[in-house]
Amino acid sequence: LQGTAQFNEADRLARMGRDLQAVRDAMHNLGDDDRALVLMRYREGLGVREIALAFGAPEGTIKRRLYTARERIREHIERSKS
């Protein structure tokens, strides 16, 4: 049983590594501004209002661009799994 648990953990870690690489690849494929938006929101923890002020854009525009960027990342990850 212990060997099976170690195998399952190794398999889980390998999948996580592939998923992480797929996210990195997807981020690389985003345009510079969209990549900056995603990083500001999810790495820096800034709110939509703060990002909108930094970009000089309406909050609705930032929300739409974040949604679109997340969808592109999701689609890239899905394609990388097939």
Side-chain angles (χ1 to χ4, degrees):
L1 183 62
Q2 186 178 14
T4 301
Q6 289 173 342
F7 176 77
N8 289 340
E9 181 65 9
D11 187 52
R12 185 182 71 79
L13 291 172
R15 282 193 313 270
M16 284 176 50
R18 286 190 300 270
D19 290 347
L20 182 58
Q21 187 59 48
V23 170
R24 286 183 181 138
D25 292 345
M27 289 290 291
H28 179 73
N29 289 332
L30 293 176
D32 291 341
D33 284 348
D34 288 340
R35 184 172 34 256
L37 287 172
V38 170
L39 292 173
M40 291 171 80
R41 179 71 179 115
Y42 298 105
R43 187 174 70 185
E44 304 299 326
L46 297 178
V48 170
R49 179 176 292 162
E50 294 167 304
I51 298 170
L53 289 172
F55 273 82
E59 289 181 40
T61 299
I62 299 303
K63 287 179 183 179
R64 179 185 50 78
R65 288 180 64 187
L66 283 168
Y67 173 82
T68 302
R70 284 191 308 265
E71 284 297 302
R72 290 182 61 201
I73 292 168
R74 183 189 59 75
E75 289 168 1
H76 181 85
I77 292 169
E78 302 243 337
R79 279 193 310 273
S80 73
K81 288 183 178 181
S82 53

